[in-house]
Amino acid sequence: MRRGAGNQEDRPTSRQVGALGALWPFVRPYRLQVMLAMLALVVTSGISLILPLAARRVVDNFDDGAGLLDRYFGAALLIVAALALGTAARYFFVTRLGERVVADIRKAVYARVITLSPAFFERVMTGEILSRITTDTTLIQSVVGSSLSIALRNMLILAGGMAMLAWTSVKLMAMVLLIVPAILIPIILLGRRLRALSRANQDWIAASSGTASETLLAAQTVQAYTAEARSIARFDEVTEQSYGVARTRIATRAVMTAIVIFLIFAGVIGVLWIGARDVQEGAMTAGQLVQFVIYAILVSSATGALSEIWGELQRAAGATERLAELLSAEDTLVDPPHPQPLPQPLRGQIALQGVGFRFPTRPDAAALDVIDLTIRPGETVALVGPSGAGKTTVIQLIQRFWDPAEGRVTLDGIDLRDLARTDLRGQIALVPQDPVIFAASAAENIRLGRPEASDAEVQAAARAAHAHEFIAALPQGYETALGERGVMLSGGQRQRVAIARAMLRDAPILLLDEATSALDAESESLVQAAVNRLAQGRTTIVVAHRLATVKQADRIVVLDQGRIVATGSHDQLVAEGGLYARLARMQFTDGPGRQGDPALARTA
């Protein structure tokens, strides 16, 4: 996988529609619907093949009296009614099956992607994933819910029609067989080209969605830097690439359609010419010729329809491959086959033992360079250091978003790799530097910490985080939707909602990654008091730059370039001099009410 669509060759391609076989696990649970659809399909195909026989009898017995004709036309009306009912049944079962299968695929893809570790999202844009879940599944829905059944129906009509052609006139049938290879050759040759173009077109659509998603989510930043024109130009370029591939695909399919239609109808005209001569010479009846003509039309229509559907199947095969890539994506993190249970009650001792780590996208730079750190149960440890020192990396390793390349991270003496990730993260409450607020109500955003919490517990958590006042002032109070990414709230308000979420979770381990960075001085003092209460009796790790937070920690760990360069209390580290003392002096110089040292403000 990759972040864009610039290199089409790095995606595996299949030369046949066999890739659609990957849909079978999603179709299998609905075998009864498939059987009912197939039954309706066989019935309607059979009825279509009976109609020419009725037409022959009408023509050959036209002079045998009105009563016989009435019976023939009455029977034809019944046949048409059966055809209508069978077609309606086929549509119902097949279309419902398509909707059901696509819904299951979307659920399966989302359920797989949402569990993947951050390493996956470093390689694939979110917009591309969304394109696969929407655009690609729409193609599959079209195939499963329509094209596939139409293809099977036309294959039955083609096979039955060829048999009936042979029964009607072996001579004319032999001529038809001479035409078939000439029709199939362009379908096969141009069909392969169509499949490759369809796959490329879908890739560019995904890249276009990824580009749009990325810039729209950061629309204010784009506008603040007057980068609208560049964003538009970038999106236009990707969209035009998509259009260019689509134009080539459309032209190829148009050429194939023209060739196939010409060969089909030229062959039919030739066969009709010979058949008409045979009727003149008495070698066959007019009814037989009419019957043969209708069967020839059915066969030619079925062949033409199959050539059209073949292109759709090829596009769906490409879409299926792309979705299968997501479903089979290998995660760099896996839970052990038999996870070790966490001790109850959990003490909360965290240890990093000889931990070394490099991000996959930056293998030449060590994010952490063999560090040892033990955090005792109930201890509050502050991580301090300049940008890129490795502070947030430590937080991520403790949550097991990454595994260390060297050493190990343990919780109460158990290697995190021996635990189920859901068990581990269920014991952790996180307040990130940039809190995520969902487009849901304030209550639902706080309840993310503990979904089963009551309204009273949600409000108690909000009060403890000093968020109750501004939430209660919203138009619908706690039921007010906060908008995408919490656009209705200020930065400090979003932070307090995140703190309320962590308080509601009531986990034994608390991770605070710049939890007060977006707060003004008054809000910071209120929230700091709430955080202090929250941290009591919990193992707490704080990434912070403000001395109000750092000074109250039991221990301060100073990181620089992935190494621990100093450990101690605030007074000890200031007395020792070094990096911490320099950073502290810079913050004191700025003044106690200011944001503090820029080097500390930018966290890793």
Side-chain angles (χ1 to χ4, degrees):
M1 296 193 191
R2 57 177 180 27
R3 289 183 63 84
N7 296 317
Q8 303 300 336
E9 66 274 8
D10 63 0
R11 286 186 179 272
T13 59
S14 67
R15 297 181 177 275
Q16 54 188 359
V17 296
L20 292 173
L23 298 177
W24 175 242
F26 296 96
V27 177
R28 186 167 49 213
Y30 310 106
R31 289 189 292 270
L32 178 60
Q33 284 191 51
V34 174
M35 292 172 62
L36 291 172
M38 289 295 294
L39 177 63
L41 189 147
V42 170
V43 169
T44 54
S45 300
I47 291 173
S48 298
L49 293 171
I50 289 173
L51 286 173
L53 292 175
R56 171 188 172 180
R57 288 185 176 274
V58 170
V59 173
D60 284 344
N61 298 284
F62 193 76
D63 298 327
D64 291 350
L68 186 62
L69 282 177
D70 291 344
R71 287 197 297 273
Y72 279 141
F73 278 102
L77 189 60
L78 291 176
I79 291 172
V80 169
L83 179 63
L85 290 174
T87 303
R90 176 179 64 84
Y91 170 81
F92 174 78
F93 289 118
V94 170
T95 304
R96 189 174 72 169
L97 177 66
E99 293 284 354
R100 180 69 266 169
V101 166
V102 165
D104 289 349
I105 290 174
R106 284 177 174 158
K107 291 194 295 184
V109 171
Y110 178 80
R112 175 58 181 159
V113 171
I114 197 66
T115 62
L116 293 173
S117 62
F120 174 82
F121 294 96
E122 284 196 350
R123 304 193 307 269
V124 184
M125 292 179 71
T126 304
E128 181 174 352
I129 297 171
L130 294 176
S131 172
R132 296 190 190 196
I133 294 176
T134 54
T135 307
D136 289 353
T137 52
T138 300
L139 278 175
I140 292 172
Q141 180 181 357
S142 172
V143 167
V144 176
S146 176
S147 300
L148 203 55
S149 70
I150 294 174
L152 291 173
R153 178 177 178 273
N154 281 289
M155 288 172 66
L156 289 174
I157 290 176
L158 178 62
M162 296 290 277
M164 296 305 292
L165 284 175
W167 179 67
T168 306
S169 172
V170 175
K171 172 185 173 182
L172 296 180
M173 169 63 183
M175 295 190 63
V176 170
L177 289 177
L178 293 175
I179 301 169
V180 172
I183 298 172
L184 292 178
I185 289 172
I187 291 177
I188 294 171
L189 294 180
L190 292 176
R192 290 178 178 176
R193 172 68 174 157
L194 272 176
R195 204 218 66 82
L197 289 169
S198 297
R199 178 70 187 257
N201 189 27
Q202 290 303 113
D203 284 348
W204 280 111
I205 290 173
S208 177
S209 297
T211 301
S213 173
E214 185 178 44
T215 51
L216 289 174
L217 287 174
Q220 290 187 19
T221 303
V222 171
Q223 294 168 10
Y225 283 90
T226 60
E228 296 95 331
R230 283 172 298 187
S231 298
I232 292 170
R234 182 183 170 203
F235 182 78
D236 287 353
E237 181 183 357
V238 177
T239 304
E240 283 300 317
Q241 292 279 9
S242 174
Y243 169 72
V245 175
R247 185 178 56 193
T248 305
R249 174 180 60 80
I250 292 167
T252 303
R253 186 163 179 173
V255 169
M256 183 180 77
T257 301
I259 293 173
V260 169
I261 288 177
F262 174 78
L263 291 174
I264 288 173
F265 286 98
V268 169
I269 291 171
V271 170
L272 286 179
W273 175 64
I274 294 173
R277 298 288 297 272
D278 286 347
V279 171
Q280 281 185 333
E281 296 171 3
M284 64 188 306
T285 67
Q288 285 177 309
L289 179 60
V290 170
Q291 176 180 306
F292 189 91
V293 168
I294 296 174
Y295 279 126
I297 292 172
L298 286 175
V299 168
S300 61
S301 298
T303 306
L306 286 173
S307 69
E308 288 284 322
I309 293 168
W310 183 256
E312 293 297 324
L313 294 179
Q314 297 249 324
R315 291 188 72 194
T320 302
E321 285 179 342
R322 288 158 49 83
L323 289 167
E325 285 179 1
L326 291 180
L327 289 170
S328 61
E330 293 186 5
D331 200 351
T332 53
L333 298 180
V334 292
D335 287 339
H338 305 288
Q340 214 171 317
L342 281 167
Q344 297 297 332
L346 188 73
R347 295 173 58 239
Q349 176 165 305
I350 300 169
L352 285 75
Q353 301 170 347
V355 169
F357 177 73
R358 297 170 187 264
F359 286 99
T361 52
R362 304 185 295 277
D364 297 333
L368 294 176
D369 190 3
V370 192
I371 68 169
D372 292 281
L373 175 63
T374 300
I375 302 166
R376 295 182 293 274
E379 183 182 21
T380 297
V381 172
L383 304 180
V384 177
S387 175
K391 305 183 295 298
T392 297
T393 303
V394 171
I395 296 285
Q396 291 178 334
L397 288 175
I398 291 172
Q399 297 173 89
R400 206 191 167 210
F401 286 133
W402 305 93
D403 279 337
E406 306 169 51
R408 65 180 194 148
V409 183
T410 66
L411 175 60
D412 282 2
I414 304 172
D415 193 319
L416 299 190
R417 286 171 285 209
D418 295 330
L419 298 171
R421 283 171 290 175
T422 52
D423 291 344
L424 166 66
R425 293 169 188 166
Q427 304 300 315
I428 299 173
L430 169 70
V431 182
Q433 179 178 8
D434 185 16
V436 175
I437 304 298
F438 296 96
S441 69
E444 288 173 342
N445 268 283
I446 295 173
R447 197 174 272 119
L448 183 69
R450 185 154 50 90
E452 70 279 7
S454 66
D455 290 343
E457 289 173 318
V458 168
Q459 291 188 24
R463 289 180 190 276
H466 298 280
H468 174 75
E469 287 76 11
F470 73 79
I471 293 176
L474 294 172
Q476 285 85 42
Y478 280 83
E479 298 307 313
T480 304
L482 301 182
E484 187 177 18
R485 302 175 72 193
V487 294
M488 289 184 63
L489 304 180
S490 68
Q493 289 173 335
R494 288 197 296 269
Q495 204 106 37
R496 279 181 274 175
V497 169
I499 291 171
R501 184 186 292 164
M503 288 182 166
L504 186 64
R505 192 169 185 85
D506 194 23
I509 298 171
L510 177 62
L511 304 179
L512 303 171
D513 189 357
E514 291 286 7
T516 60
S517 64
L519 303 180
D520 55 63
E522 181 180 358
S523 296
E524 180 185 5
S525 63
L526 294 172
V527 171
Q528 189 61 54
V531 167
N532 291 341
R533 289 199 302 272
L534 178 62
Q536 288 177 3
R538 291 176 172 81
T539 303
T540 305
I541 302 174
V542 182
V543 173
H545 68 276
R546 295 191 179 187
L547 292 183
T549 303
V550 174
K551 288 174 69 174
Q552 295 182 25
D554 298 321
R555 187 157 43 114
I556 299 169
V557 176
V558 185
L559 291 165
D560 189 24
Q561 297 182 353
R563 298 185 182 91
I564 296 176
V565 295
T567 304
S569 67
H570 170 75
D571 293 337
Q572 290 172 336
L573 293 173
V574 169
E576 288 177 7
L579 176 61
Y580 182 83
R582 179 171 60 83
L583 296 174
R585 279 196 304 272
M586 292 173 68
Q587 186 168 138
F588 278 129
T589 301
D590 285 344
R594 301 279 299 278
Q595 287 290 325
D597 172 35
L600 282 168
R602 299 186 301 270
T603 59

